[in-house]
Amino acid sequence: ATRRTALCTPVFCASTTQAMASSSSTLTASLTLLLFAGVAFTMMQSPSSSSLSLSAIRSRTSPGTSVMSRRPRVSSTSNLNAMKTASEQRREAVQLHSAMPTSYQPVGYEDWKESMVLPKVYVYDHCPFCVRVRMIYGLKKIRHDLIWLQNDDKKTPSQMHPQQKKVLPIVDNGGKIMIESMDIVKAVDNDPMYGAPILNPSSGRTDYNDWVKSIKEVMGRLSRPRYIQAYLPEFAFQSSRDTFVLNHPIDKKRFSKGDEGIFQEYEEALTRTGEDIAFLNNKLVEVEDMIYGPHCVTEGGISYDDIEFFARFRGLTLIKGLRMGPKLTTYLDNMAKMTQVPLYTAMAI
């Protein structure tokens, strides 16, 4: 109010009125002054009608003080924000994510937004039991932290495991520890927080497990040496690769865990690649009849059969030269997309 009076005073004071009457030139100057005073008064009444000029911004800053370092005036909005609780501020921050289309929001997204705590899923990429757990989180589109452990990291899983074992997968869901792959799959699928269950019961069929057993020795020679050569996160260091080799002899009748001879066994296995691939290609023909359709291995839709089947057969895609039939190829591609668990095709050795 004081500033507005100062702007208007030169127009309406007595001395100015007398000067306006003395000469026409003085009258013209006074009218000009009146015009500028009116414009200034209007701008102060409606600050939103015009943006501040550069000179106006500079005039609000004391000499030697930058605009960025100047302390802003506290507005009513700032006072309101300062009075908000931490919960309210967090809720407003989370609302930024709500703009995403509903089709992109994973199941359980609303509950996740409120808690801001994601399940932590500890895995090895090559491990079929870890793949099972990754599948159910992918199928239900559940946001989670996927944590890859180094194969020689014994401390981390042992501290979480109830029996202090170096065994994965392990899920830490807000402090609740879950182990055993199929137990985790069932718990997640039946958790109402993530919607209705999506997996049909297991059919009890044993054909694909019997097939896997029939190629176990050959598969060991083809896959294990390739795991440590591929760019898998759990084998980022030499010590991780060495630990895997020493703990996974191919022929347990020849070597026990920790035997240095296992390194030579892995080298020898690679020399037999040609004959082993030929054998496996002949066996792969049998798999085509085991697959019901492009999206499920058993009639009736996705089931626990798919959790077991895909987790076992995914490893085949790391072996270059295998001739998988069209039904198996299509099934693996589709299941990889649905579960968000990629195949090894691009890095096959």
Side-chain angles (χ1 to χ4, degrees):
T2 303
R3 188 175 181 183
R4 291 174 186 173
T5 303
L7 286 171
C8 296
T9 298
V11 180
F12 297 105
C13 65
S15 60
T16 303
T17 305
Q18 294 174 359
M20 290 171 61
S22 63
S23 67
S24 60
S25 61
T26 304
L27 177 61
T28 301
S30 298
L31 289 173
T32 302
L33 179 61
L34 177 62
L35 175 62
F36 278 97
V39 171
F41 184 83
T42 302
M43 290 178 66
M44 294 186 66
Q45 287 287 79
S46 305
S48 61
S49 63
S50 175
S51 59
L52 288 173
S53 65
L54 179 61
S55 60
I57 293 176
R58 288 174 176 169
S59 68
R60 293 188 178 194
T61 308
S62 60
T65 305
S66 67
V67 174
M68 296 300 294
S69 63
R70 177 179 171 275
R71 183 178 181 180
R73 288 189 293 178
V74 179
S75 64
S76 58
T77 303
S78 299
N79 288 330
L80 179 61
N81 289 333
M83 296 172 62
K84 291 179 180 178
T85 65
S87 177
E88 289 172 333
Q89 292 179 19
R90 182 185 67 183
R91 186 172 289 106
E92 285 189 358
V94 171
Q95 286 175 353
L96 295 174
H97 298 278
S98 299
M100 70 167 65
T102 304
S103 59
Y104 292 125
Q105 293 183 3
V107 175
Y109 184 78
E110 294 298 323
D111 294 314
W112 168 78
K113 286 197 308 181
E114 292 299 319
S115 66
M116 299 297 284
V117 176
L118 297 179
K120 293 179 173 60
V121 183
Y122 296 84
V123 297
Y124 302 130
D125 190 87
H126 74 280
C127 172
F129 304 106
C130 297
V131 172
R132 292 175 177 179
V133 174
R134 294 170 61 189
M135 288 178 70
I136 190 60
Y137 277 99
L139 286 169
K140 302 200 76 170
K141 298 180 175 61
I142 301 170
R143 288 288 296 268
H144 61 285
D145 284 335
L146 192 58
I147 303 173
W148 314 96
L149 294 186
Q150 287 301 301
N151 196 257
D152 62 342
D153 181 359
K154 184 177 181 180
K155 180 179 179 180
T156 302
S158 298
Q159 287 180 336
M160 293 185 291
H161 198 283
Q163 286 81 45
Q164 292 76 50
K165 294 181 179 180
K166 178 186 173 293
V167 178
L168 295 183
I170 293 177
V171 173
D172 181 355
N173 195 357
K176 178 183 178 182
I177 301 298
M178 294 189 288
I179 60 173
E180 300 297 337
S181 60
M182 276 305 186
D183 290 344
I184 297 173
V185 171
K186 292 176 183 178
V188 173
D189 191 35
N190 290 283
D191 191 330
M193 178 178 179
Y194 305 128
I198 62 172
L199 296 179
N200 290 332
S202 173
S203 65
R205 57 187 290 192
T206 62
D207 53 347
Y208 52 82
N209 281 325
D210 292 339
W211 186 89
V212 170
K213 291 178 182 178
S214 71
I215 65 161
K216 183 176 181 180
E217 184 178 347
V218 172
M219 191 62 183
R221 287 198 300 266
L222 287 172
S223 63
R224 291 183 179 179
R226 284 167 171 77
Y227 285 152
I228 60 174
Q229 292 184 21
Y231 296 99
L232 302 186
E234 60 265 36
F235 301 130
F237 302 103
Q238 186 63 51
S239 59
S240 300
R241 298 190 287 273
D242 291 346
T243 298
F244 178 82
V245 173
L246 292 173
N247 286 330
H248 295 85
I250 299 173
D251 187 350
K252 295 182 179 180
K253 295 178 180 179
R254 290 179 59 196
F255 300 103
S256 301
K257 288 185 178 182
D259 290 346
E260 290 293 327
I262 302 175
F263 289 100
Q264 183 61 35
E265 182 186 32
Y266 274 51
E267 294 294 333
E268 294 172 356
L270 290 173
T271 65
R272 301 183 59 177
T273 294
E275 61 181 277
D276 286 340
I277 287 181
F279 171 82
L280 197 50
N281 279 335
N282 290 329
K283 293 287 291 183
L284 281 170
V285 176
E286 303 171 7
V287 179
E288 291 293 283
D289 293 334
M290 301 179 191
I291 302 172
Y292 172 75
H295 298 95
C296 56
V297 73
T298 302
E299 184 178 3
I302 298 177
S303 66
Y304 284 92
D305 293 350
D306 294 285
I307 299 295
E308 291 188 357
F309 188 95
F310 179 79
R312 289 291 186 186
F313 282 76
R314 172 182 179 248
L316 293 173
T317 61
L318 185 59
I319 305 169
K320 184 181 292 186
L322 289 185
R323 297 192 300 269
M324 290 183 279
K327 291 180 68 176
L328 177 59
T329 300
T330 302
Y331 171 84
L332 292 177
D333 287 340
N334 288 336
M335 190 57 67
K337 293 175 183 177
M338 290 189 293
T339 60
Q340 301 182 55
V341 179
L343 303 176
Y344 294 129
T345 309
M347 63 172 70
I349 301 171

